[in-house]
Amino acid sequence: MQFSSFYYPSMGFGGPVKLMYDYANWINDYQKDVVVYSTDIHHDFSRLETEIIKTPFNIIRSKVLSTFLAKKSLIIFSPFILLHAIKKIKKSKTIYIHFWELRGLVPLYCLFLYKLFPQKVRLIHSAFGQLHYKKSYFRNAFDCLFLKIIVESLFMAMVQNKHELEAYKSMIKKLNIKKNPNLYQMPLHINSLKGKKEIDRESIQSNKKQL
């Protein structure tokens, strides 16, 4: 299960959206059930023509209720999205929720589902270079209220390189987090995943970085 404010085919935001789509395709190749929750807008806040978009997995798109708020990083999903996710979680033994945004409403939706189903939900965060951000009063207030509990709730964080690993370490130290997420170094591009129908557990385990 993935949550993202923007999704395929809206790749203009940059690497994170493309990589989320690539990872979803990779997991789908394992014959695993993949569902993505996103919105009906592009990164420039124009509307997507969702009826012409075809993907090998299910994408549930919520109509953004306020374009003005979306431009302020307050992308408000329809309550239908959370209801759909709750019904799916109830029918499953374990759900892995993958997201890349660390600030805003998307990580709060993911955190809400984790708190609602702590025995079933596993949160996975991929930074994709998004750990650094421009300072603002809104972001500082968000960090004070929510960032620590979001990071402490992570089951796993996937890093691409040593730079991201150090960024996670710095953030965890700054937040004084005692329950550290598992950090795994995963490939940056899907080309390095192609042909791997079986998960190389030894390779992943050797790439695991203990904080």
Side-chain angles (χ1 to χ4, degrees):
M1 184 180 290
Q2 288 185 345
F3 276 82
S4 179
S5 295
F6 312 99
Y7 208 74
Y8 175 87
S10 183
M11 303 296 194
F13 188 79
V17 177
K18 173 68 163 60
L19 290 170
M20 290 289 283
Y21 179 69
D22 285 346
Y23 278 129
N25 273 291
W26 181 48
I27 295 299
N28 187 69
D29 286 344
Y30 283 101
Q31 306 300 316
K32 301 294 184 182
D33 184 23
V34 175
V35 61
V36 177
Y37 296 100
S38 190
T39 66
D40 65 341
I41 59 174
H42 279 293
H43 65 285
D44 61 358
F45 306 106
S46 61
R47 298 288 171 171
L48 279 166
E49 296 182 20
T50 56
E51 66 275 5
I52 64 174
I53 300 171
K54 294 183 179 180
T55 58
F57 47 84
N58 194 17
I59 301 178
I60 309 296
R61 295 186 187 271
S62 167
K63 181 177 179 59
V64 171
L65 304 181
S66 172
T67 303
F68 172 77
L69 291 177
K71 292 179 179 180
K72 301 296 183 181
S73 298
L74 289 174
I75 298 178
I76 302 177
F77 286 64
S78 165
F80 164 77
I81 289 291
L82 287 179
L83 292 176
H84 189 282
I86 287 171
K87 289 179 180 178
K88 188 169 185 63
I89 293 172
K90 284 183 176 179
K91 296 178 181 178
S92 306
K93 292 183 178 179
T94 304
I95 287 285
Y96 294 90
I97 298 180
H98 186 198
F99 62 103
W100 63 272
E101 296 155 275
L102 201 55
R103 295 171 177 88
L105 294 182
V106 167
L108 293 184
Y109 297 148
C110 298
L111 180 64
F112 170 77
L113 293 173
Y114 169 73
K115 293 297 183 180
L116 195 61
F117 301 100
Q119 302 302 320
K120 289 187 174 185
V121 170
R122 304 288 184 270
L123 297 182
I124 300 176
H125 180 251
S126 291
F128 300 135
Q130 299 299 313
L131 293 176
H132 301 290
Y133 66 99
K134 295 181 180 178
K135 293 183 178 180
S136 71
Y137 290 115
F138 168 75
R139 292 186 176 94
N140 289 339
F142 183 93
D143 287 359
C144 291
L145 293 172
F146 303 113
L147 187 58
K148 182 175 181 177
I149 189 172
I150 290 172
V151 176
E152 285 182 332
S153 300
L154 293 178
F155 170 73
M156 181 171 70
M158 294 192 294
V159 302
Q160 302 170 53
N161 48 49
K162 291 183 178 179
H163 174 73
E164 279 192 4
L165 177 63
E166 293 304 317
Y168 264 110
K169 284 184 176 182
S170 176
M171 178 177 64
I172 288 172
K173 182 178 180 180
K174 183 178 180 180
L175 294 173
N176 193 28
I177 290 175
K178 297 180 180 179
K179 182 183 177 183
N180 297 333
N182 296 313
L183 292 187
Y184 289 87
Q185 187 169 328
M186 295 293 286
L188 176 61
H189 296 293
I190 197 65
N191 289 336
S192 57
L193 299 174
K194 287 182 178 178
K196 294 186 178 181
K197 293 296 182 180
E198 297 294 333
I199 296 178
D200 187 348
R201 297 185 183 278
E202 291 185 2
S203 175
I204 291 178
Q205 196 66 25
S206 66
N207 285 333
K208 182 176 178 181
K209 306 297 183 182
Q210 297 289 350
L211 294 178

